[in-house]
Amino acid sequence: YTVPEGRTKPWGTAHAALAARKVVDGPFAIINADDYYGVGAFKTIYDYLSTHPDSEDCYEYTMVGYLLKNTVTENGSVARGVCTTDETGKLLDLTERTHIIPSMDGPLMTEDMQTYTRLSEDTVVSMNMWGFPAAMMQAIKDGFPKFLSEDVPKNPEKAEYFLPKVVDTQLSAGKAQVSVLTTPDKWYGVTYAADKPVVISA
């Protein structure tokens, strides 16, 4: 494979996980390296992964979801993956909301920057804390050539192989289900320069 001319951007979160394939031999968790997730979230995902072995029929994936109110910043808008689950806590849909802002009456979201819809502060959102059986590495590996042949030609300099897309492909094919766990922990990330002092303090 020849890297497109001018491409300097990494290949995305799924490829970053794939880079660890030679050292992963059991269940594993994936997080964003530049975020702080809280002690409780790590315990929650560890407890799940250590009690849910691989299954050949349907892979048991998991994610730790956060309450929206624990992930927003006062310094501007944020993008969050809003989770919809069934009555048993299985993930049905993960919808990316690209513009969520704080307000005195709670978070507001917009798609067109004109019409705003209120979101519950307790809306569960994904902050990219995922848990997988070891077999997930094979699914990521299998999807990478398709990404290179189909997605990269459309956007050679910026196309990314996203982990949630691999999960969605597995869900759509009936090969996996995702249990959404929740944590009361506060999530910290530096979205804006003004967030840095808050994160350092936390």
Side-chain angles (χ1 to χ4, degrees):
Y1 182 79
T2 303
V3 177
E5 186 176 349
R7 174 87 189 202
T8 58
K9 192 175 182 67
W11 292 115
T13 51
H15 180 259
L18 189 60
R21 65 192 178 281
K22 293 181 180 178
V23 296
V24 171
D25 59 4
F28 62 102
I30 294 180
I31 60 170
N32 292 342
D34 55 353
D35 294 340
Y36 178 73
Y37 289 87
V39 174
F42 283 101
K43 182 178 188 313
T44 296
I45 205 163
Y46 173 85
D47 289 346
Y48 182 93
L49 291 174
S50 62
T51 56
H52 289 76
D54 283 6
S55 167
E56 293 184 8
D57 297 328
C58 185
Y59 296 130
E60 297 285 340
Y61 300 166
T62 190
M63 61 166 286
V64 175
Y66 284 71
L67 303 181
L68 179 58
K69 65 185 176 185
N70 291 334
T71 73
V72 293
T73 172
E74 297 298 319
N75 297 310
S77 68
V78 296
R80 297 288 181 259
V82 174
C83 302
T84 304
T85 60
D86 65 15
E87 64 279 359
T88 67
K90 302 296 185 192
L91 184 67
L92 294 175
D93 184 56
L94 185 58
T95 305
E96 189 70 17
R97 300 299 183 187
T98 59
H99 197 90
I100 299 174
I101 60 170
S103 78
M104 292 182 64
D105 298 319
L108 300 173
M109 72 172 184
T110 183
E111 298 299 324
D112 60 9
M113 310 302 266
Q114 296 179 10
T115 307
Y116 288 83
T117 304
R118 193 170 311 286
L119 288 170
S120 167
E121 290 188 332
D122 293 333
T123 298
V124 177
V125 296
S126 169
M127 301 308 296
N128 280 333
M129 186 178 220
W130 295 93
F132 301 110
M136 178 58 165
M137 277 298 180
Q138 189 61 48
I140 296 172
K141 184 177 180 181
D142 290 346
F144 191 49
K146 184 178 180 182
F147 159 77
L148 293 175
S149 64
E150 295 183 7
D151 294 356
V152 173
K154 297 173 189 173
N155 191 355
E157 293 187 19
K158 295 186 177 180
E160 292 187 68
Y161 188 35
F162 291 116
L163 188 63
K165 185 174 181 181
V166 180
V167 173
D168 186 60
T169 299
Q170 295 288 297
L171 288 175
S172 298
K175 295 180 179 179
Q177 56 184 5
V178 179
S179 293
V180 179
L181 313 175
T182 57
T183 178
D185 289 354
K186 185 167 176 56
W187 171 92
Y188 293 93
V190 182
T191 305
Y192 299 95
D195 293 332
K196 185 178 177 182
V198 177
V199 176
I200 290 173
S201 175

